[in-house]
Amino acid sequence: QATVHLREAFWGLLLPVTVHGRVSDIWRAYLTQKLLWDVGQVVAFTAPHVIHDRVAHDYLKDFQSEGDLYLKSTAMVAFLARWTSDAPTLVERLEQLWAALYARGFVELGDLRLAQAWIRDL
């Protein structure tokens, strides 16, 4: 929940908005990690650098909010493992991947349009 992105990877900060907030940061990480690997970059992990004070949760509501994680993540990870692109630029690959995620029902049209606007602004 606390991430650091190098400037060169700011393109990967876009959060999908058509999935629940409890899902969006995880799916963003899957997409970004795939594209980083695709261009020969890596993701690094380190010990936590924040203290998170948890508030009381409704665990059933949390579970329901995270439905896509339980129902679609395995398929998404399998798709990402197989996905390839011959696009010459990272920006083109980024748009292709968002379009592919939309075409397969992982995100909705609003996310594809948002990603396209994001790419125009990069």
mmCIF file of all heavy atoms in Angstrom, residues 24-59:
data_model
loop_
_atom_site.group_PDB
_atom_site.id
_atom_site.type_symbol
_atom_site.label_atom_id
_atom_site.label_comp_id
_atom_site.label_asym_id
_atom_site.label_seq_id
_atom_site.Cartn_x
_atom_site.Cartn_y
_atom_site.Cartn_z
ATOM 1 N N SER A 24 -7.983 -2.163 -7.339
ATOM 2 C CA SER A 24 -7.305 -1.360 -8.362
ATOM 3 C C SER A 24 -5.797 -1.280 -8.183
ATOM 4 O O SER A 24 -5.051 -1.388 -9.165
ATOM 5 C CB SER A 24 -7.898 0.048 -8.426
ATOM 6 O OG SER A 24 -7.672 0.740 -7.217
ATOM 7 N N ASP A 25 -5.314 -1.127 -6.963
ATOM 8 C CA ASP A 25 -3.862 -1.008 -6.778
ATOM 9 C C ASP A 25 -3.152 -2.320 -7.075
ATOM 10 O O ASP A 25 -2.024 -2.329 -7.588
ATOM 11 C CB ASP A 25 -3.517 -0.503 -5.375
ATOM 12 C CG ASP A 25 -4.015 -1.396 -4.256
ATOM 13 O OD1 ASP A 25 -5.056 -2.065 -4.420
ATOM 14 O OD2 ASP A 25 -3.378 -1.409 -3.189
ATOM 15 N N ILE A 26 -3.808 -3.422 -6.821
ATOM 16 C CA ILE A 26 -3.204 -4.728 -7.085
ATOM 17 C C ILE A 26 -3.138 -4.978 -8.589
ATOM 18 O O ILE A 26 -2.111 -5.390 -9.122
ATOM 19 C CB ILE A 26 -3.982 -5.838 -6.361
ATOM 20 C CG1 ILE A 26 -3.860 -5.616 -4.837
ATOM 21 C CG2 ILE A 26 -3.488 -7.228 -6.776
ATOM 22 C CD1 ILE A 26 -4.805 -6.450 -4.007
ATOM 23 N N TRP A 27 -4.241 -4.675 -9.286
ATOM 24 C CA TRP A 27 -4.227 -4.883 -10.734
ATOM 25 C C TRP A 27 -3.279 -3.914 -11.422
ATOM 26 O O TRP A 27 -2.646 -4.263 -12.413
ATOM 27 C CB TRP A 27 -5.638 -4.815 -11.283
ATOM 28 C CG TRP A 27 -6.387 -6.092 -10.992
ATOM 29 C CD1 TRP A 27 -5.965 -7.100 -10.174
ATOM 30 C CD2 TRP A 27 -7.633 -6.486 -11.498
ATOM 31 N NE1 TRP A 27 -6.897 -8.099 -10.144
ATOM 32 C CE2 TRP A 27 -7.937 -7.751 -10.955
ATOM 33 C CE3 TRP A 27 -8.543 -5.902 -12.351
ATOM 34 C CZ2 TRP A 27 -9.097 -8.430 -11.257
ATOM 35 C CZ3 TRP A 27 -9.702 -6.585 -12.639
ATOM 36 C CH2 TRP A 27 -9.980 -7.834 -12.109
ATOM 37 N N ARG A 28 -3.172 -2.695 -10.917
ATOM 38 C CA ARG A 28 -2.185 -1.768 -11.475
ATOM 39 C C ARG A 28 -0.786 -2.363 -11.344
ATOM 40 O O ARG A 28 0.025 -2.291 -12.258
ATOM 41 C CB ARG A 28 -2.238 -0.419 -10.757
ATOM 42 C CG ARG A 28 -1.091 0.496 -11.184
ATOM 43 C CD ARG A 28 -1.009 1.764 -10.405
ATOM 44 N NE ARG A 28 -0.691 1.540 -9.005
ATOM 45 C CZ ARG A 28 -0.679 2.495 -8.095
ATOM 46 N NH1 ARG A 28 -0.985 3.745 -8.427
ATOM 47 N NH2 ARG A 28 -0.369 2.233 -6.851
ATOM 48 N N ALA A 29 -0.504 -2.957 -10.206
ATOM 49 C CA ALA A 29 0.813 -3.553 -9.984
ATOM 50 C C ALA A 29 1.067 -4.695 -10.966
ATOM 51 O O ALA A 29 2.174 -4.821 -11.505
ATOM 52 C CB ALA A 29 0.934 -4.056 -8.548
ATOM 53 N N TYR A 30 0.067 -5.532 -11.227
ATOM 54 C CA TYR A 30 0.231 -6.626 -12.192
ATOM 55 C C TYR A 30 0.572 -6.067 -13.573
ATOM 56 O O TYR A 30 1.497 -6.540 -14.241
ATOM 57 C CB TYR A 30 -1.042 -7.466 -12.303
ATOM 58 C CG TYR A 30 -1.406 -8.309 -11.114
ATOM 59 C CD1 TYR A 30 -2.684 -8.842 -11.009
ATOM 60 C CD2 TYR A 30 -0.510 -8.593 -10.094
ATOM 61 C CE1 TYR A 30 -3.053 -9.641 -9.940
ATOM 62 C CE2 TYR A 30 -0.872 -9.377 -9.016
ATOM 63 C CZ TYR A 30 -2.149 -9.905 -8.939
ATOM 64 O OH TYR A 30 -2.513 -10.687 -7.889
ATOM 65 N N LEU A 31 -0.205 -5.083 -14.017
ATOM 66 C CA LEU A 31 -0.010 -4.491 -15.346
ATOM 67 C C LEU A 31 1.358 -3.830 -15.439
ATOM 68 O O LEU A 31 2.099 -4.042 -16.398
ATOM 69 C CB LEU A 31 -1.126 -3.477 -15.592
ATOM 70 C CG LEU A 31 -1.160 -2.739 -16.906
ATOM 71 C CD1 LEU A 31 -2.591 -2.389 -17.242
ATOM 72 C CD2 LEU A 31 -0.327 -1.487 -16.913
ATOM 73 N N THR A 32 1.706 -3.039 -14.447
ATOM 74 C CA THR A 32 2.979 -2.317 -14.475
ATOM 75 C C THR A 32 4.158 -3.282 -14.436
ATOM 76 O O THR A 32 5.133 -3.122 -15.173
ATOM 77 C CB THR A 32 3.052 -1.318 -13.304
ATOM 78 O OG1 THR A 32 1.945 -0.414 -13.407
ATOM 79 C CG2 THR A 32 4.345 -0.532 -13.321
ATOM 80 N N GLN A 33 4.068 -4.294 -13.582
ATOM 81 C CA GLN A 33 5.153 -5.262 -13.498
ATOM 82 C C GLN A 33 5.345 -5.973 -14.830
ATOM 83 O O GLN A 33 6.472 -6.170 -15.284
ATOM 84 C CB GLN A 33 4.881 -6.269 -12.393
ATOM 85 C CG GLN A 33 6.014 -7.247 -12.183
ATOM 86 C CD GLN A 33 5.838 -8.071 -10.923
ATOM 87 O OE1 GLN A 33 5.139 -7.683 -10.003
ATOM 88 N NE2 GLN A 33 6.478 -9.220 -10.885
ATOM 89 N N LYS A 34 4.262 -6.347 -15.492
ATOM 90 C CA LYS A 34 4.369 -7.014 -16.798
ATOM 91 C C LYS A 34 5.111 -6.131 -17.790
ATOM 92 O O LYS A 34 6.018 -6.583 -18.486
ATOM 93 C CB LYS A 34 2.972 -7.370 -17.318
ATOM 94 C CG LYS A 34 2.951 -7.837 -18.761
ATOM 95 C CD LYS A 34 3.791 -9.088 -18.971
ATOM 96 C CE LYS A 34 3.726 -9.541 -20.420
ATOM 97 N NZ LYS A 34 4.572 -10.713 -20.652
ATOM 98 N N LEU A 35 4.727 -4.856 -17.866
ATOM 99 C CA LEU A 35 5.370 -3.969 -18.837
ATOM 100 C C LEU A 35 6.806 -3.650 -18.456
ATOM 101 O O LEU A 35 7.658 -3.518 -19.337
ATOM 102 C CB LEU A 35 4.553 -2.696 -19.020
ATOM 103 C CG LEU A 35 3.252 -2.893 -19.801
ATOM 104 C CD1 LEU A 35 2.425 -1.617 -19.790
ATOM 105 C CD2 LEU A 35 3.528 -3.348 -21.217
ATOM 106 N N LEU A 36 7.087 -3.541 -17.175
ATOM 107 C CA LEU A 36 8.486 -3.345 -16.763
ATOM 108 C C LEU A 36 9.335 -4.527 -17.215
ATOM 109 O O LEU A 36 10.416 -4.348 -17.782
ATOM 110 C CB LEU A 36 8.590 -3.155 -15.249
ATOM 111 C CG LEU A 36 8.154 -1.797 -14.719
ATOM 112 C CD1 LEU A 36 8.058 -1.823 -13.203
ATOM 113 C CD2 LEU A 36 9.112 -0.698 -15.171
ATOM 114 N N TRP A 37 8.871 -5.727 -16.977
ATOM 115 C CA TRP A 37 9.604 -6.914 -17.425
ATOM 116 C C TRP A 37 9.733 -6.920 -18.938
ATOM 117 O O TRP A 37 10.766 -7.313 -19.480
ATOM 118 C CB TRP A 37 8.896 -8.182 -16.975
ATOM 119 C CG TRP A 37 8.998 -8.479 -15.512
ATOM 120 C CD1 TRP A 37 9.820 -7.878 -14.592
ATOM 121 C CD2 TRP A 37 8.255 -9.457 -14.790
ATOM 122 N NE1 TRP A 37 9.621 -8.428 -13.357
ATOM 123 C CE2 TRP A 37 8.667 -9.393 -13.443
ATOM 124 C CE3 TRP A 37 7.270 -10.364 -15.145
ATOM 125 C CZ2 TRP A 37 8.136 -10.219 -12.462
ATOM 126 C CZ3 TRP A 37 6.738 -11.176 -14.167
ATOM 127 C CH2 TRP A 37 7.178 -11.109 -12.844
ATOM 128 N N ASP A 38 8.681 -6.484 -19.621
ATOM 129 C CA ASP A 38 8.664 -6.487 -21.080
ATOM 130 C C ASP A 38 9.759 -5.600 -21.667
ATOM 131 O O ASP A 38 10.228 -5.861 -22.769
ATOM 132 C CB ASP A 38 7.287 -6.011 -21.559
ATOM 133 C CG ASP A 38 6.975 -6.411 -22.990
ATOM 134 O OD1 ASP A 38 7.319 -7.537 -23.385
ATOM 135 O OD2 ASP A 38 6.388 -5.581 -23.706
ATOM 136 N N VAL A 39 10.148 -4.556 -20.948
ATOM 137 C CA VAL A 39 11.187 -3.642 -21.450
ATOM 138 C C VAL A 39 12.498 -3.794 -20.682
ATOM 139 O O VAL A 39 13.347 -2.904 -20.686
ATOM 140 C CB VAL A 39 10.705 -2.165 -21.435
ATOM 141 C CG1 VAL A 39 9.539 -1.984 -22.384
ATOM 142 C CG2 VAL A 39 10.365 -1.690 -20.037
ATOM 143 N N GLY A 40 12.653 -4.947 -19.995
ATOM 144 C CA GLY A 40 13.917 -5.243 -19.336
ATOM 145 C C GLY A 40 14.144 -4.537 -18.009
ATOM 146 O O GLY A 40 15.281 -4.429 -17.558
ATOM 147 N N GLN A 41 13.091 -4.085 -17.364
ATOM 148 C CA GLN A 41 13.198 -3.434 -16.059
ATOM 149 C C GLN A 41 12.685 -4.382 -14.975
ATOM 150 O O GLN A 41 12.167 -5.454 -15.263
ATOM 151 C CB GLN A 41 12.409 -2.119 -16.053
ATOM 152 C CG GLN A 41 12.904 -1.111 -17.064
ATOM 153 C CD GLN A 41 14.323 -0.655 -16.780
ATOM 154 O OE1 GLN A 41 14.653 -0.322 -15.646
ATOM 155 N NE2 GLN A 41 15.158 -0.653 -17.799
ATOM 156 N N VAL A 42 12.824 -3.983 -13.731
ATOM 157 C CA VAL A 42 12.443 -4.853 -12.625
ATOM 158 C C VAL A 42 11.644 -4.093 -11.574
ATOM 159 O O VAL A 42 11.615 -2.867 -11.560
ATOM 160 C CB VAL A 42 13.689 -5.482 -11.945
ATOM 161 C CG1 VAL A 42 14.433 -6.382 -12.903
ATOM 162 C CG2 VAL A 42 14.595 -4.395 -11.398
ATOM 163 N N VAL A 43 11.045 -4.859 -10.693
ATOM 164 C CA VAL A 43 10.368 -4.344 -9.516
ATOM 165 C C VAL A 43 11.200 -4.765 -8.315
ATOM 166 O O VAL A 43 11.659 -5.907 -8.249
ATOM 167 C CB VAL A 43 8.943 -4.927 -9.387
ATOM 168 C CG1 VAL A 43 8.280 -4.489 -8.096
ATOM 169 C CG2 VAL A 43 8.097 -4.538 -10.594
ATOM 170 N N ALA A 44 11.398 -3.861 -7.394
ATOM 171 C CA ALA A 44 12.158 -4.176 -6.179
ATOM 172 C C ALA A 44 11.233 -4.105 -4.969
ATOM 173 O O ALA A 44 10.304 -3.293 -4.937
ATOM 174 C CB ALA A 44 13.310 -3.191 -6.013
ATOM 175 N N PHE A 45 11.509 -4.944 -3.991
ATOM 176 C CA PHE A 45 10.729 -4.960 -2.757
ATOM 177 C C PHE A 45 11.664 -4.711 -1.586
ATOM 178 O O PHE A 45 12.825 -5.112 -1.607
ATOM 179 C CB PHE A 45 10.037 -6.324 -2.577
ATOM 180 C CG PHE A 45 9.043 -6.624 -3.654
ATOM 181 C CD1 PHE A 45 9.429 -7.296 -4.805
ATOM 182 C CD2 PHE A 45 7.726 -6.224 -3.530
ATOM 183 C CE1 PHE A 45 8.516 -7.578 -5.810
ATOM 184 C CE2 PHE A 45 6.799 -6.502 -4.530
ATOM 185 C CZ PHE A 45 7.202 -7.174 -5.672
ATOM 186 N N THR A 46 11.138 -4.060 -0.575
ATOM 187 C CA THR A 46 11.920 -3.778 0.621
ATOM 188 C C THR A 46 11.007 -3.848 1.844
ATOM 189 O O THR A 46 9.791 -3.997 1.698
ATOM 190 C CB THR A 46 12.596 -2.388 0.513
ATOM 191 O OG1 THR A 46 13.462 -2.211 1.631
ATOM 192 C CG2 THR A 46 11.579 -1.271 0.476
ATOM 193 N N ALA A 47 11.600 -3.721 2.994
ATOM 194 C CA ALA A 47 10.804 -3.721 4.220
ATOM 195 C C ALA A 47 9.859 -2.517 4.228
ATOM 196 O O ALA A 47 10.132 -1.498 3.586
ATOM 197 C CB ALA A 47 11.736 -3.663 5.431
ATOM 198 N N PRO A 48 8.762 -2.612 4.958
ATOM 199 C CA PRO A 48 7.825 -1.475 5.037
ATOM 200 C C PRO A 48 8.518 -0.221 5.558
ATOM 201 O O PRO A 48 9.411 -0.297 6.396
ATOM 202 C CB PRO A 48 6.769 -1.950 6.029
ATOM 203 C CG PRO A 48 6.881 -3.430 6.061
ATOM 204 C CD PRO A 48 8.307 -3.748 5.749
ATOM 205 N N HIS A 49 8.082 0.915 5.049
ATOM 206 C CA HIS A 49 8.626 2.187 5.512
ATOM 207 C C HIS A 49 7.537 3.093 6.087
ATOM 208 O O HIS A 49 7.744 4.278 6.266
ATOM 209 C CB HIS A 49 9.413 2.892 4.400
ATOM 210 C CG HIS A 49 8.606 3.156 3.163
ATOM 211 N ND1 HIS A 49 8.432 2.209 2.191
ATOM 212 C CD2 HIS A 49 7.925 4.243 2.752
ATOM 213 C CE1 HIS A 49 7.677 2.704 1.231
ATOM 214 N NE2 HIS A 49 7.362 3.941 1.547
ATOM 215 N N VAL A 50 6.388 2.514 6.377
ATOM 216 C CA VAL A 50 5.289 3.250 6.994
ATOM 217 C C VAL A 50 4.697 2.391 8.111
ATOM 218 O O VAL A 50 4.891 1.180 8.156
ATOM 219 C CB VAL A 50 4.173 3.602 5.984
ATOM 220 C CG1 VAL A 50 4.689 4.520 4.902
ATOM 221 C CG2 VAL A 50 3.567 2.352 5.385
ATOM 222 N N ILE A 51 3.996 3.032 8.992
ATOM 223 C CA ILE A 51 3.231 2.326 10.021
ATOM 224 C C ILE A 51 1.762 2.511 9.677
ATOM 225 O O ILE A 51 1.295 3.631 9.484
ATOM 226 C CB ILE A 51 3.530 2.886 11.421
ATOM 227 C CG1 ILE A 51 5.005 2.659 11.764
ATOM 228 C CG2 ILE A 51 2.603 2.245 12.455
ATOM 229 C CD1 ILE A 51 5.438 3.341 13.039
ATOM 230 N N HIS A 52 1.050 1.436 9.571
ATOM 231 C CA HIS A 52 -0.352 1.471 9.176
ATOM 232 C C HIS A 52 -1.213 1.144 10.389
ATOM 233 O O HIS A 52 -1.210 0.012 10.863
ATOM 234 C CB HIS A 52 -0.584 0.439 8.065
ATOM 235 C CG HIS A 52 -1.933 0.527 7.430
ATOM 236 N ND1 HIS A 52 -2.103 0.501 6.084
ATOM 237 C CD2 HIS A 52 -3.173 0.663 7.941
ATOM 238 C CE1 HIS A 52 -3.382 0.595 5.790
ATOM 239 N NE2 HIS A 52 -4.039 0.692 6.909
ATOM 240 N N ASP A 53 -1.926 2.112 10.885
ATOM 241 C CA ASP A 53 -2.867 1.892 11.979
ATOM 242 C C ASP A 53 -4.203 1.485 11.374
ATOM 243 O O ASP A 53 -4.866 2.287 10.714
ATOM 244 C CB ASP A 53 -3.038 3.155 12.830
ATOM 245 C CG ASP A 53 -1.792 3.496 13.623
ATOM 246 O OD1 ASP A 53 -1.078 2.553 14.017
ATOM 247 O OD2 ASP A 53 -1.543 4.688 13.845
ATOM 248 N N ARG A 54 -4.575 0.262 11.580
ATOM 249 C CA ARG A 54 -5.816 -0.261 11.016
ATOM 250 C C ARG A 54 -7.017 0.192 11.834
ATOM 251 O O ARG A 54 -6.965 0.260 13.053
ATOM 252 C CB ARG A 54 -5.788 -1.787 11.007
ATOM 253 C CG ARG A 54 -4.843 -2.353 9.997
ATOM 254 C CD ARG A 54 -5.640 -2.908 8.878
ATOM 255 N NE ARG A 54 -4.767 -3.411 7.830
ATOM 256 C CZ ARG A 54 -5.078 -3.321 6.571
ATOM 257 N NH1 ARG A 54 -6.193 -2.761 6.214
ATOM 258 N NH2 ARG A 54 -4.278 -3.798 5.659
ATOM 259 N N VAL A 55 -8.088 0.477 11.127
ATOM 260 C CA VAL A 55 -9.363 0.764 11.777
ATOM 261 C C VAL A 55 -10.216 -0.489 11.676
ATOM 262 O O VAL A 55 -9.913 -1.413 10.902
ATOM 263 C CB VAL A 55 -10.067 1.971 11.124
ATOM 264 C CG1 VAL A 55 -9.255 3.236 11.319
ATOM 265 C CG2 VAL A 55 -10.316 1.728 9.658
ATOM 266 N N ALA A 56 -11.293 -0.524 12.437
ATOM 267 C CA ALA A 56 -12.178 -1.685 12.408
ATOM 268 C C ALA A 56 -12.719 -1.895 10.989
ATOM 269 O O ALA A 56 -13.016 -0.937 10.281
ATOM 270 C CB ALA A 56 -13.326 -1.484 13.383
ATOM 271 N N HIS A 57 -12.801 -3.154 10.581
ATOM 272 C CA HIS A 57 -13.271 -3.497 9.241
ATOM 273 C C HIS A 57 -14.502 -4.376 9.338
ATOM 274 O O HIS A 57 -14.664 -5.147 10.279
ATOM 275 C CB HIS A 57 -12.203 -4.301 8.486
ATOM 276 C CG HIS A 57 -11.150 -3.464 7.858
ATOM 277 N ND1 HIS A 57 -11.088 -3.250 6.522
ATOM 278 C CD2 HIS A 57 -10.108 -2.794 8.397
ATOM 279 C CE1 HIS A 57 -10.051 -2.482 6.244
ATOM 280 N NE2 HIS A 57 -9.436 -2.204 7.370
ATOM 281 N N ASP A 58 -15.331 -4.276 8.339
ATOM 282 C CA ASP A 58 -16.400 -5.233 8.118
ATOM 283 C C ASP A 58 -15.839 -6.256 7.140
ATOM 284 O O ASP A 58 -15.772 -6.003 5.937
ATOM 285 C CB ASP A 58 -17.625 -4.525 7.542
ATOM 286 C CG ASP A 58 -18.789 -5.468 7.270
ATOM 287 O OD1 ASP A 58 -18.552 -6.692 7.101
ATOM 288 O OD2 ASP A 58 -19.932 -4.986 7.209
ATOM 289 N N TYR A 59 -15.395 -7.381 7.659
ATOM 290 C CA TYR A 59 -14.667 -8.338 6.837
ATOM 291 C C TYR A 59 -15.516 -8.923 5.717
ATOM 292 O O TYR A 59 -15.009 -9.205 4.637
ATOM 293 C CB TYR A 59 -14.060 -9.442 7.705
ATOM 294 C CG TYR A 59 -12.986 -8.909 8.620
ATOM 295 C CD1 TYR A 59 -13.182 -8.815 9.981
ATOM 296 C CD2 TYR A 59 -11.781 -8.442 8.089
ATOM 297 C CE1 TYR A 59 -12.196 -8.292 10.812
ATOM 298 C CE2 TYR A 59 -10.801 -7.919 8.904
ATOM 299 C CZ TYR A 59 -11.023 -7.844 10.273
ATOM 300 O OH TYR A 59 -10.044 -7.318 11.079
#
